[in-house]
């Protein structure tokens, strides 16, 4: 907890878009290649694409998923969920990136805990008990972009079938029957 409170990252692997500093393993620095994908994901969301639409586009472009990207960089990252040689982007993974405040330079740690070292089951903490360090590392996206994307999640915005972008009043105006 002391390392967390001082803003040191203590996870075994850096989140997608970042890498651990070669000088200090507890500090995050931007991974330019993955960060450009994260920026593009936020841009597409702001243009009105859904998480599933973004995932489909990333798969068509042949962009590696976070797990495959870590393994391609030589990290010893393994998962029990792998069924294929290369995994596919999914809407849930895209939405996790879009809702992660880490990309604005805020380090949130201590979201779960175990009562002691003998118990492996993790328990969720209340949001007020999370350890939060503002301006801890270089942001990939601005706080304003992040707020706008969170607003899209709160409003009912969907792209019409066969369309590429949102209608201007999507999520604001409803029909008289709804």
């Amino acid at each position: 907890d002391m390392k967390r409170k001082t803003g040191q990252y203590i996870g075994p692997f850096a989140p997608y878009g970042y890498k651990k500093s070669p000088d200090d393993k507890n500090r995050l620095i931007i991974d330019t290649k993955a960060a450009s994908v994260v920026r593009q994901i936020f841009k597409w969301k702001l243009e009105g694409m859904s998480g599933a639409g973004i995932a489909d586009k990333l798969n068509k472009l042949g962009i590696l998923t976070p797990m495959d990207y870590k393994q391609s960089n030589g990290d010893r990252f393994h998962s029990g969920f792998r069924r294929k040689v290369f995994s596919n982007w999914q809407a849930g993974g895209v939405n996790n990136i879009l809702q992660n405040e880490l990309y604005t330079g805020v380090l949130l740690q201590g979201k779960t805990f175990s009562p002691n070292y003998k118990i492996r089951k993790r328990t969720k903490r209340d949001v007020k008990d999370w350890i939060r360090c503002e301006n801890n590392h270089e942001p990939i996206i601005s706080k304003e972009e992040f707020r706008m994307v969170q607003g899209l999640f709160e409003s009912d915005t969907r792209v019409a079938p066969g369309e590429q972008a949102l209608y201007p009043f999507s999520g604001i105006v409803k029909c008289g029957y709804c």
Side-chain angles (χ1 to χ4, degrees):
D1 279 350
M2 291 306 295
K3 279 188 165 190
R4 288 179 178 145
K5 288 176 183 171
T6 58
Q8 296 182 38
Y9 181 76
I10 61 167
F13 298 98
Y16 188 68
Y18 289 97
K19 59 185 176 183
K20 290 186 173 192
S21 170
D23 304 328
D24 180 6
K25 66 177 182 159
N26 297 114
R27 195 170 64 91
L28 296 174
I29 57 174
I30 289 182
D31 179 350
T32 53
K33 188 175 178 184
S36 66
V37 174
V38 171
R39 286 186 192 101
Q40 190 63 49
I41 289 171
F42 274 88
K43 181 178 176 251
W44 285 332
K45 182 64 178 178
L46 289 172
E47 289 173 357
M49 290 182 73
S50 67
I54 294 170
D56 290 342
K57 193 160 193 169
L58 291 168
N59 288 328
K60 285 179 188 168
L61 293 173
I63 295 172
L64 295 175
T65 62
M67 179 175 67
D68 292 333
Y69 183 74
K70 286 175 187 165
Q71 290 177 341
S72 73
N73 286 338
D75 288 344
R76 294 182 303 161
F77 183 83
H78 298 287
S79 172
F81 297 108
R82 171 169 246 144
R83 292 205 169 98
K84 301 177 185 174
V85 175
F86 287 104
S87 53
N88 289 326
W89 283 90
Q90 302 292 323
V94 169
N95 289 338
N96 287 342
I97 288 173
L98 291 168
Q99 293 174 328
N100 193 344
E101 202 172 356
L102 176 90
Y103 298 112
T104 64
V106 175
L107 184 62
L108 290 171
Q109 297 187 103
K111 295 178 182 181
T112 62
F113 72 101
S114 61
N116 65 44
Y117 70 94
K118 293 180 183 179
I119 300 172
R120 291 191 175 202
K121 186 177 180 194
R122 308 288 298 172
T123 306
K124 289 185 179 183
R125 283 189 173 144
D126 291 335
V127 175
K128 64 179 176 55
D129 295 329
W130 292 356
I131 298 170
R132 180 184 185 90
C133 295
E134 297 279 341
N135 302 319
N136 186 66
H137 50 273
E138 188 178 348
I140 293 177
I141 58 144
S142 70
K143 290 184 190 260
E144 184 58 33
E145 282 178 297
F146 183 78
R147 275 190 229 107
M148 288 169 54
V149 167
Q150 301 321 298
L152 290 174
F153 277 112
E154 291 171 8
S155 63
D156 182 23
T157 55
R158 285 171 272 172
V159 176
E163 297 293 324
Q164 293 294 320
L166 285 172
Y167 291 118
F169 297 111
S170 181
I172 301 168
V173 178
K174 295 181 181 180
C175 77
Y177 297 107
C178 296

